[in-house]
Amino acid sequence: MKISDTKKLAAIMVAFFITVTAFSGCSESANSSQTTSSVSQAAKSDIDASIAAEDIDVGYDEESSVGITFADGSAAIDGEGATAEGETVTISQAGTYILSGTATNGRIIVSADKTAEIKLIFNGLDITCSDNAPLLVSKAKKVYIVLEDGTENVLTDGANYSLGKDDSNTDGAIFSKADLTINGSGTLTVNANYKHGIVSKDDLVITDGNINVTSASTAMEGKDSVKISGGTFNISAGTNGIKATNTEASDKGFISVTGGSFTVVANNDAFEAETVLSIQGGSFDITTGGGSANASIKSDGTPNRNWQNNMGNGGGGPNGMGRPDDNGNGMGDDPPAMPTADSTDTTDSTSTSAKALKAGNEVNISGGEFKIDSADDSVHSNGNIVVTGGNISAASGDNGMHANGNLTISDGTVDITKSYEGIEGSIVTIDGGTISVVASDDGINCAGGSDTGSTDRMGADQFSAQEGVELNINGGTVTIDAEGDGLDSNGNFTMTGGTVCVCGPTNGGNGALDYNGTATVTGGTLIACGAVGMEEGFSDNSTQYSVLHDLDSTVSANEKLTITDSDGKEILSFTPTKTWQSVVFTSADLKKGETYTITAGSQSETVTINGIVTSNSKGKNFGGGHGGRRGF
């Protein structure tokens, strides 16, 4: 097969498109929120997420290629550049090699000049190696694996490796010390019984193919980066699904996904980038740590020891590998695993982290369809989270989204169907999008600090009130169903636009709104229902009228609440799914001196707007002001 000029041009154009659109979500978010622009711009400028035309090109000249056929305990070579010793083939020259046939205990070793580029055409290849990597790239500039259309290709290793001094760090069924690209429309199945599935100690690029990986440890790893623009992935991992591990340079250790279809079942994290995780497109079905039913904590916030004991059943990796220990939680907080007797690799950790999307510096989502069921945080960053698009549906055993830094949503859909706390960050800014949260504790929680946890609960947030903590709602549609505080800021809460509905707590120890500084409303619409006791309304430094009103008695769940003006016109309405007695509401339609009727179930009470904040509350916080309570 020889690639046509038209096909070459198409590959170049696709590569150009990927290059110019890489990290476009960062630039959009930079315009929408000043608090996140500097980090996003840094991510955009530092990281080269482009994919070259050569990474997409599947063409080759069959006549000038070297044929290698495995059969009957040997390998036949037709051409120059490779040698065979039994079922072990060593490739030592640049060029294209077409590989086919079956080896029951064979290997492919690439050991060429450091300037050599080598293309391996998998054309119906089935290699098993009982004691080492079936494919080892020990030296080359770059290696391409092309999956020939319509072919099935399988690489399988054993549970134990016999390693020498020269290959002592080999720990994957496909292990490359050079840049590695996988493309083509065929199928590649990797059965990694020792540790990892596909490993590149430089860049791992995948642009197409049907990739199936079952691994005792990490399924796919690129030390410097992982860049994926297409393909279909079925991953069952004993520890992590897809991982980038370089911590030594700010422009490395990232994962960039612009397309593809992913089904990932992992005992630990599904996607883990040491620096930036950028997702611009693709479809994702992710389960980590056995899913949210195997939550890291119970709904009352106490540790779920069964989660840790059951982790080995969560990922489907060989031998139930990857059971965590009981020492901590997220990225960077857990000590590395002790090295095994036959390997010096300590890149994997027996961490209790079982997050779906995780990064050290920033998670940036600008597109994609996500279905997540995670025992730990569904989306987690030790730095910032920026969402400018995509559709995210997540059930979490801990937090739906957690950022140690700032969390900004400007577009897309975020539907957190189950969580301990829904959305967390030091500064949470919502500029747009459609957000819904179900939480057994706080719906949105803004606090300083990190998700450092404790030995008692992985993911426990030791937040304390401090300056520089903000909740800003400037647009979008937000719906909260929380057993704890609905909207909780340990600093200030500012609302300038958007529509917010809160179905808050049924116990008086929490409030539908909770803040430690001020709560200022200048625009938008909010209606928040909860219990009497710790209720708070907006502050009197607001410019839009608001009401905090406690009814005479509780209202049953699923009774419609309406606020109407003196002419009977409906201003606001909401149907809380839980019992409630206190309501906070604000709207641009409210006017000073006007009387409004609050109707819920059999109760009907009137309130007249007599100031920027109108309240009859006799709870701890006495209406509009901050009552000095902690915002946990």
Side-chain angles (χ1 to χ4, degrees):
M1 178 179 68
K2 187 175 182 180
I3 192 167
S4 67
D5 291 339
T6 302
K7 199 168 184 179
K8 283 183 179 178
L9 179 61
I12 292 170
M13 292 301 294
V14 171
F16 174 76
F17 174 77
I18 293 172
T19 301
V20 299
T21 58
F23 293 97
S24 61
C26 294
S27 61
E28 292 175 10
S29 64
N31 292 330
S32 64
S33 175
Q34 184 177 359
T35 60
T36 60
S37 62
S38 60
V39 172
S40 296
Q41 287 295 334
K44 180 180 178 182
S45 61
D46 288 349
I47 292 176
D48 179 13
S50 62
I51 292 179
E54 291 79 8
D55 293 317
I56 302 169
D57 183 3
V58 298
Y60 60 94
D61 185 351
E62 187 172 355
E63 293 182 0
S64 62
S65 300
V66 178
I68 301 174
T69 305
F70 292 87
D72 302 324
S74 63
I77 300 174
D78 182 13
E80 301 293 327
T83 58
E85 183 177 346
E87 291 183 304
T88 298
V89 170
T90 300
I91 296 171
S92 57
Q93 295 181 19
T96 300
Y97 299 83
I98 305 173
L99 299 109
S100 61
T102 300
T104 57
N105 195 23
R107 296 189 71 198
I108 302 165
I109 300 172
V110 176
S111 182
D113 188 85
K114 64 181 180 180
T115 63
E117 294 195 5
I118 293 168
K119 184 172 286 189
L120 306 177
I121 313 300
F122 282 16
N123 188 29
L125 180 68
D126 190 340
I127 302 290
T128 297
C129 183
S130 62
D131 62 356
N132 215 311
L135 173 57
L136 169 65
V137 179
S138 64
K139 186 186 294 185
K141 179 182 179 181
K142 189 168 186 176
V143 171
Y144 301 85
I145 296 175
V146 179
L147 307 175
E148 186 65 71
D149 184 27
T151 65
E152 299 277 345
N153 304 278
V154 182
L155 297 182
T156 304
D157 68 5
N160 297 287
Y161 280 13
S162 297
L163 300 173
K165 181 179 179 180
D166 294 338
D167 60 357
S168 61
N169 67 336
T170 302
D171 58 7
I174 296 177
F175 187 84
S176 177
K177 296 180 181 180
D179 291 336
L180 178 65
T181 291
I182 301 174
N183 61 23
S185 56
T187 298
L188 172 63
T189 298
V190 178
N191 302 307
N193 298 290
Y194 175 58
K195 283 189 178 180
H196 311 315
I198 301 171
V199 177
S200 170
K201 303 307 287 186
D202 290 324
D203 295 324
L204 175 62
V205 178
I206 302 176
T207 62
D208 200 0
N210 301 294
I211 314 294
N212 308 307
V213 181
T214 301
S215 61
S217 190
T218 298
M220 292 167 37
E221 178 182 310
K223 179 178 180 180
D224 289 348
S225 71
V226 177
K227 296 184 277 190
I228 300 173
S229 64
T232 300
F233 300 83
N234 287 285
I235 291 173
S236 181
T239 57
N240 298 92
I242 299 175
K243 187 174 182 179
T245 62
N246 194 319
T247 61
E248 299 170 358
S250 62
D251 61 343
K252 300 184 186 299
F254 69 90
I255 298 174
S256 170
V257 180
T258 57
S261 176
F262 300 83
T263 300
V264 181
V265 179
N267 274 338
N268 295 118
D269 304 317
F271 289 78
E272 179 185 2
E274 286 292 340
T275 55
V276 175
L277 171 59
S278 171
I279 299 177
Q280 298 182 47
S283 62
F284 303 82
D285 188 339
I286 297 172
T287 303
T288 65
S292 59
N294 197 23
S296 62
I297 57 170
K298 298 177 182 178
S299 60
D300 62 1
T302 60
N304 182 2
R305 298 295 186 184
N306 290 331
W307 174 76
Q308 295 176 337
N309 294 332
N310 293 334
M311 275 286 287
N313 299 322
N319 306 317
M321 297 286 288
R323 177 178 295 177
D325 58 15
D326 193 26
N327 59 14
N329 67 298
M331 174 185 291
D333 296 326
D334 298 308
M338 292 299 291
T340 59
D342 56 356
S343 174
T344 59
D345 175 31
T346 59
T347 57
D348 268 357
S349 170
T350 54
S351 166
T352 54
S353 177
K355 300 171 174 66
L357 308 176
K358 183 170 80 170
N361 295 345
E362 180 171 295
V363 175
N364 192 301
I365 300 171
S366 57
E369 301 286 331
F370 300 85
K371 178 184 176 183
I372 297 172
D373 190 10
S374 59
D376 196 351
D377 298 350
S378 293
V379 184
H380 176 99
S381 174
N382 284 1
N384 295 348
I385 294 174
V386 179
V387 179
T388 60
N391 296 302
I392 302 169
S393 176
S396 173
D398 196 354
N399 302 321
M401 289 185 168
H402 174 95
N404 287 0
N406 302 339
L407 192 156
T408 302
I409 302 172
S410 60
D411 203 354
T413 299
V414 176
D415 183 13
I416 299 172
T417 60
K418 178 183 178 182
S419 66
Y420 179 67
E421 291 190 330
I423 295 174
E424 287 189 320
S426 293
I427 298 177
V428 174
T429 301
I430 298 174
D431 293 325
T434 301
I435 298 103
S436 59
V437 171
V438 176
S440 60
D441 194 32
D442 298 344
I444 297 179
N445 182 13
C446 304
S450 63
D451 195 18
T452 54
S454 69
T455 57
D456 289 329
R457 175 173 90 77
M458 182 278 301
D461 299 309
Q462 307 300 316
F463 283 148
S464 59
Q466 63 182 44
E467 295 182 359
V469 173
E470 302 172 12
L471 171 59
N472 304 302
I473 299 179
N474 305 312
T477 300
V478 181
T479 304
I480 303 290
D481 184 338
E483 294 295 332
D485 299 319
L487 304 178
D488 181 359
S489 175
N490 281 10
N492 296 330
F493 169 33
T494 301
M495 184 171 182
T496 66
T499 300
V500 179
C501 295
V502 178
C503 184
T506 58
N507 69 83
N510 294 285
L513 301 186
D514 181 26
Y515 55 92
N516 281 15
T518 60
T520 305
V521 57
T522 62
T525 300
L526 177 143
I527 185 166
C529 299
V532 168
M534 300 298 288
E535 66 271 25
E536 288 186 290
F538 284 97
S539 304
D540 57 11
N541 63 343
S542 301
T543 60
Q544 179 169 290
Y545 294 106
S546 66
V547 173
L548 170 59
H549 190 85
D550 296 345
L551 295 177
D552 288 339
S553 60
T554 59
V555 180
S556 299
N558 300 311
E559 294 279 4
K560 185 177 181 180
L561 162 66
T562 59
I563 291 100
T564 56
D565 64 14
S566 56
D567 295 326
K569 178 183 176 182
E570 183 177 292
I571 304 298
L572 294 168
S573 67
F574 181 42
T575 303
T577 57
K578 295 179 290 190
T579 60
W580 63 278
Q581 189 173 355
S582 177
V583 60
V584 182
F585 59 89
T586 183
S587 167
D589 293 332
L590 298 181
K591 298 177 182 178
K592 186 175 182 180
E594 292 291 324
T595 299
Y596 298 89
T597 302
I598 302 171
T599 303
S602 60
Q603 299 186 65
S604 184
E605 300 182 13
T606 61
V607 57
T608 300
I609 304 294
N610 54 25
I612 201 68
V613 176
T614 300
S615 174
N616 73 339
S617 173
K618 293 181 173 57
K620 178 176 180 180
N621 293 308
F622 301 105
H626 158 61
R629 61 184 289 256
R630 296 202 313 165
F632 293 118

